[in-house]
Structure formats: C-alpha cells, structure tokens
Amino acid sequence: MHVTFLGTGTSTGVPVIGCDCEVCHSSDRRDRRWRPSVQIKFEDGLSVLIDASPDLRAQALEFSLDRVDCILLTHSHADHVLGLDDVRIYNFRQGAEITCYGNSRTLTDVRRMFSYVFDPKTPQGGGLPQLSLCPVNGPFSLNGSRIVPVPLRHGTLPIFGYRIGAFAYLTDCNEIPEASWPLLDDLDVLVLDALRRRPHSTHFNINQAVQAAQKIRAKNTYFTHMTHDVSHAETCSLLPSGISLAYDGLVLKINEQLNETVHEASIKLFPLSDW
C-alpha cells in the first residue's frame, strides 16, 4: 500500500496567519504544513483517509486525490474533521455514501457538528455529503485488509490511532496506554505526534516522541502534527537514526500484511468496546 501525507501540521497550519518567524517564512517546502491527514491507497485501489482536515480540498487538488472510499477518524477536533463537507464531490462521482469509522464519542460529535447532514428536514439538492457513521468496537476489515484501532490519550480525551499491516498512525497523543503497546510490535513504519520542543498538556513533544519511538522500535518513524516552532531541516539533523519529520506530499510504500501472531496476541489486551 502507499501512504501519502496530505498534511503534517498542527491545528493552525504552517505558516501561521500573521506570523513573522523563520519557519513561517522558510523557503523549504517541507516547512509548509497543512492540517493533519494521510491517504492510504491499497493495492486493490481502495482509497482510505485517516481524518478529513479543513484543508482537504486543497490537499486533494495538490496531490491528485481522485477517490475516497472511507474515512478512519482519530477524534473529532476541528483540524481532523472539518473537511468532511468536502467529500461530497466523491459522493457525486462514486455514486455511494462514504463510511466514517471511529469510536462512539467521535461519531456522536460528528453527528452533532454536521447535524444538517443527518437531519431529514434538510432540503435535499445534491449539496450534502452522504456519510455513514460506523462505530468501531475492535479490529475490522476493509476489502480484506485488517484495520486495528489503537487506543490513545489526547490529554484526557480517549482517541484512536490505527494500525494497518506494518504501518501505524498515532496522531494527537500524549499517552499510549499500557495495553496499547503490544499493538505496535513489529512495525515497518510508525507515524507519531511530535508537536514541538516545549512540553504540552495534550501532545508528545519531540523528546517524548523520540522516547516512545525508541520503545516501539519501528524500522522507520516519522513525526507529524508539528507547529511552526519546528524547522524541518534543523530538527531532522538532530534526530536519532531511523527517525525523521514527515512532510506534506511524502509518499511511502508499506507492507499491508499484518503479522497475525502479534495481532491475535495483542488485540485481546485492551477493552476496545469500552473506548
């Protein structure tokens, strides 16, 4: 499967409106960061988004995102879901609803935030996204590919990361619960939240992300959800071997076959239905 980073910035994006800092005026395109999301394109053509950022329209145009079959939602904060209205163009072209997966709290929030979409009294004129909300209570399959939700903490908010084969995407977290660590064994690629150098109450900072990455021991780790405090070139030069910053437009090819021994031993350790 191919993973394309559509956005690697934090909720403000980079450059930040009205900011005169060095990163916001950088000529390095890797320092320009849309709000966070990735596309996963499977070998059979299935196209899956993890989150739908407010920059989705621009991302789709820039990176030729011509199809979206479903969306895996990590949580319901604005920088991760406000692009949902823009998926209606895919409804028109594909002639089908788009299923959004997430924990029950996330989907409840989406139904509230986009109440006009789900209200039968809203006039129907072809201008509404057609969304189907599917609660995730454990691992599930998309066209035969195994999707494993990874429970995380974003401050006090319970959210999901996702593991697909040898790839895991963990954004917006400052804690990996004890029972989630085994879900992250034997990864080829880990994507991990690393907001900035200074501590933060709801995100890993860079030092914390390095410590978590070294514990997980993926073959390669990419940090995401960075603020304008983080210069791409300078920061990468200081990171340990095998760890680097992701950037908008980065494309990775990854094995989508999950190690079944790890999978079966690990998923029973956490009460996903309660998350």
Side-chain angles (χ1 to χ4, degrees), residues 144-196:
S145 296
R146 192 74 158 171
I147 313 297
V148 179
V150 179
L152 304 168
R153 291 283 179 187
H154 181 27
T156 60
L157 180 68
I159 73 166
F160 277 160
Y162 291 96
R163 176 172 182 158
I164 305 169
F167 169 77
Y169 184 81
L170 314 181
T171 188
D172 284 48
C173 61
N174 66 318
E175 180 187 349
I176 301 174
E178 192 64 33
S180 292
W181 290 98
L183 297 174
L184 303 171
D185 287 343
D186 295 336
L187 291 173
D188 287 345
V189 174
L190 168 69
V191 180
L192 186 61
D193 181 16
L195 186 73
R196 63 190 190 191

Side-chain angles (χ1 to χ4, degrees), residues 20-186:
D20 292 324
C21 79
E22 183 176 343
V23 173
C24 286
H25 286 269
S26 170
S27 60
D28 187 341
R29 67 179 184 85
R30 297 170 299 179
D31 285 326
R32 302 185 71 84
R33 303 174 183 127
W34 276 315
R35 268 69 70 90
S37 178
V38 296
Q39 181 211 22
I40 301 171
K41 190 74 171 285
F42 291 90
E43 297 300 327
D44 63 2
L46 185 74
S47 175
V48 177
L49 293 184
I50 302 183
D51 292 333
S53 91
D55 299 313
L56 178 58
R57 180 181 179 276
Q59 292 166 338
L61 292 170
E62 178 70 17
F63 302 123
S64 300
L65 183 61
D66 58 2
R67 185 176 185 87
V68 173
D69 293 296
C70 65
I71 303 172
L72 308 178
L73 296 174
T74 60
H75 63 298
S76 60
H77 286 171
D79 51 330
H80 295 261
V81 302
L82 286 190
L84 286 174
D85 189 74
D86 281 327
V87 305
R88 65 185 187 272
I89 192 65
Y90 300 108
N91 296 134
F92 303 159
R93 291 184 173 171
Q94 294 164 201
E97 289 185 331
I98 292 176
T99 302
C100 300
Y101 297 88
N103 68 26
S104 58
R105 177 168 180 168
T106 296
L107 299 186
T108 296
D109 287 346
V110 166
R111 186 177 293 276
R112 174 180 51 81
M113 295 166 73
F114 293 88
S115 59
Y116 65 94
V117 172
F118 303 100
D119 186 348
K121 296 179 182 178
T122 301
Q124 300 295 310
L128 296 177
Q130 303 299 307
L131 305 175
S132 173
L133 304 182
C134 183
V136 171
N137 296 311
F140 59 100
S141 179
L142 292 175
N143 282 17
S145 296
R146 192 74 158 171
I147 313 297
V148 179
V150 179
L152 304 168
R153 291 283 179 187
H154 181 27
T156 60
L157 180 68
I159 73 166
F160 277 160
Y162 291 96
R163 176 172 182 158
I164 305 169
F167 169 77
Y169 184 81
L170 314 181
T171 188
D172 284 48
C173 61
N174 66 318
E175 180 187 349
I176 301 174
E178 192 64 33
S180 292
W181 290 98
L183 297 174
L184 303 171
D185 287 343
D186 295 336

